[in-house]
Amino acid sequence: MTDSSEGTGPDPARLYLPRRKVAFAGRRGTAVSAVSSVAVIALLVSVFFWAPGGANVRATFFSFHDMWVAFRGDPSKGLLSVGSGLITNIWMFLLSEVLVLAIGLLIAVARVSRSPVLAPFRVLATLYTDVFRGIPILLVVYIIGFGLPALSLGAISSQSPAVYGVTALTISYSAYVAEVYRAGINSVPHGQILAARSLGLTYAATMRRVVLPQAVRTVIPPLLNDFISMQKDTALVSTLGAIEATRAAQIYSSTVFNFSSYVVAALLFLVLTVPLTRYTDHLIARDRSRRLAGAS
Amino acid sequence: MSVLELRHVEKRFGEHPVLRDVSLTLEAHRVACLIGASGSGKSTLLRCANLLEPIDAGDVLLHGQSLSDPRVDPNLVRREIAMVFQSFNLFPHLSVLDNVLLGPRYALGRDRAEAESEARTLLARIGLESRAGDYPDRLSGGQQQRVAIVRSLAMRPSVLLLDEVTSALDPTLVGEVLDLLRDLATAGTTMLIATHEMAFARDVASEVLFLEEGVIVERGTPAQIFDDPQEPATRAFLRRTE
């Protein structure tokens, strides 16, 4: 005897997906998406092989031999190593990053302050962010890199191009990062400030203990975005003659007439930026899970 | 001597008067309850009392000392007048324990070890000592509000201001917060409470003040206000809340 409800109830199949869609729902769906991804990528890559100039592009941009030589450098031919050029990018970036984090924070705090004592700093900070967010970074690099040496001011005028590069990047990016911090500060609910002030904390202590810790957590992703931009913008310092990855790649291409060196430089920049992006996501996830798990 | 006193306080937001000629006196170990509709000025009154909002006229006195004296440091005043908010306002980036410790450590400059043992004792009193390491978002609304009350108590204030502290709570969680406030009242804590919980006000208040459009329309013992209100406005309000 069958279940009586089965006979009298409506047909269960009326709730089913169409057969065609069921195929996409399970493991078969994963296989379908994998195949379609591969097909799309293969199609894009095949353009390189079928295009009339494909062979040319492969030889001038993706020659493994040239990539390897550009990466290693060849002193006997006056070719600089793109790989060791990258070391310059890395330290320029690291130094600028530390400076930008500190200076950006100071500017942001000056901008949000209400204290009459800080009023002149507030005006200066506003002016600063307006000006340096408005000037292309390349121009700041030129102005600092060619302007400061022209001053003939002793130590200030006799630094290496890389130091001027760090200065220019710090000046420009501090303006952007200050605005990121400021957005974070403004995102902290007013009730947090009321609660801290009602405990008798001073304005400064409220900022330091309550507002900034929350603001910084909020702005980690946009901050890291700016840092990824800054890593790439270290390439602009090549215009001052600093020997970094882009400059080395440029020298290679203009000596050997092969652009594979640029591809090497691009790949090396990816090696720098991708871990930073991953690390940011990891930090955010850890902070989130820690708070949700309630560990101390 | 009174702990907290408001004398003819006036407060305007722009042209709009929020408090008009508000006077009240709170003696030590007494509980005063402010009742009135939303927007009647209860919250503003509390904020003016601990100088979170500047007043336009009148005076606020703490232990008989005028707080409009320009030599008075508002930060020092607020250490003695603690406040608890409707929306708890716990610090989400700090553990429960660090929430309670923030005031003693960074406003009073007390030593961590000493402040911590006191904070743990306070948390034990509300049965949340085991949650000391948790972050606020792991706690229920009622637990969060009790932590917020303990955070204020950790400052050892002379007076506690409570701004509709159960209004944002799930109805099932209101009881635990009110029970804590009853305990505090029994223990002799001086409190000024803005509330919509009439039964609670009747229980704990030594004085009830009815506020309408920034004016204290009527004041008296709970029995006078709830059983025999004299003003038509008070009667109308109480009828609406039944």
Side-chain angles (χ1 to χ4, degrees):
Chain A
M1 202 176 118
T2 53
D3 190 340
S4 62
S5 67
E6 210 176 306
T8 56
D11 178 13
R14 83 194 196 288
L15 299 176
Y16 292 170
L17 283 165
R19 194 173 274 262
R20 184 173 48 81
K21 287 198 176 170
V22 175
F24 288 95
R27 203 177 277 177
R28 227 179 118 191
T30 319
V32 169
S33 71
V35 168
S36 70
S37 307
V38 169
V40 168
I41 291 168
L43 188 73
L44 289 173
V45 170
S46 65
V47 170
F48 276 105
F49 292 90
W50 288 340
N56 231 335
V57 168
R58 265 175 282 141
T60 46
F61 282 91
F62 296 99
S63 144
F64 287 117
H65 170 74
D66 286 287
M67 285 166 117
W68 180 244
V69 176
F71 177 72
R72 296 284 306 273
D74 189 347
S76 68
K77 294 178 188 150
L79 297 176
L80 297 164
S81 155
V82 175
S84 44
L86 192 74
I87 307 288
T88 309
N89 296 83
I90 292 173
W91 77 252
M92 284 197 296
F93 162 71
L94 288 177
L95 193 56
S96 315
E97 182 190 71
V98 173
L99 294 171
V100 163
L101 276 176
I103 296 170
L105 184 60
L106 284 178
I107 295 168
V109 168
R111 278 203 75 173
V112 298
S113 76
R114 304 249 176 279
S115 148
V117 184
L118 291 175
F121 292 101
R122 190 159 62 238
V123 173
L124 279 178
T126 310
L127 206 68
Y128 181 92
T129 50
D130 282 1
V131 167
F132 286 103
R133 280 188 305 159
I135 303 179
I137 296 175
L138 183 60
L139 293 186
V140 179
V141 169
Y142 282 153
I143 291 164
I144 299 292
F146 298 128
L148 290 186
L151 284 175
S152 306
L153 253 180
I156 291 179
S157 300
S158 52
Q159 297 297 325
S160 70
V163 170
Y164 292 128
V166 167
T167 311
L169 287 174
T170 303
I171 288 173
S172 265
Y173 272 93
S174 293
Y176 288 101
V177 166
E179 288 302 282
V180 171
Y181 274 130
R182 193 164 73 102
I185 290 169
N186 288 337
S187 77
V188 176
H190 190 58
Q192 291 288 307
I193 297 165
L194 285 181
R197 296 311 296 272
S198 77
L199 286 172
L201 263 69
T202 60
Y203 177 80
T206 302
M207 270 314 237
R208 174 152 176 231
R209 305 286 168 192
V210 174
V211 177
L212 291 180
Q214 295 184 57
V216 168
R217 273 178 180 74
T218 319
V219 299
I220 284 176
L223 268 186
L224 267 289
N225 265 334
D226 274 348
F227 283 154
I228 290 162
S229 285
M230 192 162 78
Q231 283 190 333
K232 294 180 295 174
D233 281 344
T234 54
L236 293 173
V237 184
S238 65
T239 58
L240 298 180
I243 306 301
E244 44 71 71
T246 326
R247 182 81 183 134
Q250 203 179 1
I251 291 170
Y252 184 91
S253 75
S254 55
T255 312
V256 184
F257 302 112
N258 187 295
F259 295 106
S260 302
S261 55
Y262 284 128
V263 175
V264 170
L267 290 174
L268 288 177
F269 273 107
L270 273 182
V271 168
L272 279 191
T273 52
V274 169
L276 183 61
T277 324
R278 295 293 100 215
Y279 181 62
T280 317
D281 281 7
H282 163 75
L283 280 185
I284 293 165
R286 191 184 66 179
D287 194 53
R288 189 182 143 75
S289 68
R290 187 183 283 176
R291 273 189 303 121
L292 290 179
S296 56
Chain B
M1 189 196 289
S2 65
V3 176
L4 184 69
E5 191 180 344
L6 272 66
R7 282 186 191 160
H8 310 295
V9 167
E10 304 271 343
K11 173 72 186 171
R12 284 180 298 275
F13 287 136
E15 288 298 296
H16 177 65
V18 192
L19 294 177
R20 285 182 286 179
D21 195 23
V22 166
S23 295
L24 67 84
T25 304
L26 187 59
E27 306 286 339
H29 315 301
R30 293 301 193 90
V31 176
C33 282
L34 297 166
I35 60 170
S38 300
S40 58
K42 303 188 297 293
S43 297
T44 308
L45 192 158
L46 295 181
R47 287 182 188 193
C48 289
N50 84 345
L51 311 185
L52 284 175
E53 290 280 356
I55 57 175
D56 295 311
D59 203 357
V60 180
L61 297 95
L62 181 65
H63 299 299
Q65 186 187 356
S66 164
L67 303 183
S68 5
D69 187 328
R71 288 171 297 183
V72 166
D73 177 354
N75 294 320
L76 298 177
V77 171
R78 293 189 199 113
R79 286 166 203 183
E80 292 200 38
I81 307 179
M83 180 137 177
V84 183
F85 301 86
Q86 182 176 341
S87 49
F88 330 142
N89 297 355
L90 288 180
F91 306 121
H93 63 297
L94 297 176
S95 68
V96 164
L97 181 65
D98 285 331
N99 263 276
V100 178
L101 285 177
L102 192 80
R105 290 195 65 201
Y106 301 112
L108 302 177
R110 290 178 57 196
D111 170 65
R112 171 155 186 133
E114 180 199 303
E116 186 175 326
S117 77
E118 217 176 282
R120 286 189 186 277
T121 310
L122 281 170
L123 286 173
R125 212 166 122 190
I126 56 167
L128 290 177
E129 201 196 1
S130 62
R131 310 298 299 270
D134 283 352
Y135 283 82
D137 59 3
R138 299 292 295 169
L139 271 54
S140 74
Q143 291 171 331
Q144 289 190 44
Q145 192 58 294
R146 288 186 288 139
V147 170
I149 292 169
V150 157
R151 177 175 71 177
S152 304
L153 293 176
M155 297 296 290
R156 298 183 195 155
S158 313
V159 53
L160 199 53
L161 311 177
L162 298 116
D163 188 4
E164 295 187 20
V165 294
T166 57
S167 296
L169 291 176
D170 190 292
T172 58
L173 302 174
V174 169
E176 60 188 83
V177 173
L178 294 184
D179 286 347
L180 171 58
L181 295 183
R182 282 198 182 91
D183 289 349
L184 293 178
T186 312
T189 313
T190 314
M191 292 188 280
L192 182 55
I193 305 176
T195 185
H196 289 302
E197 301 286 338
M198 297 305 154
F200 167 76
R202 182 194 283 266
D203 271 8
V204 300
S206 23
E207 188 181 20
V208 176
L209 302 102
F210 171 62
L211 219 70
E212 189 174 69
E213 289 176 10
V215 179
I216 296 179
V217 175
E218 190 167 357
R219 65 181 84 200
T221 63
Q224 284 169 341
I225 297 292
F226 292 116
D227 299 333
D228 189 21
Q230 299 301 304
E231 297 294 325
T234 317
R235 283 193 212 126
F237 172 74
L238 289 172
R239 251 199 321 277
R240 283 202 303 277
T241 59
E242 267 162 17

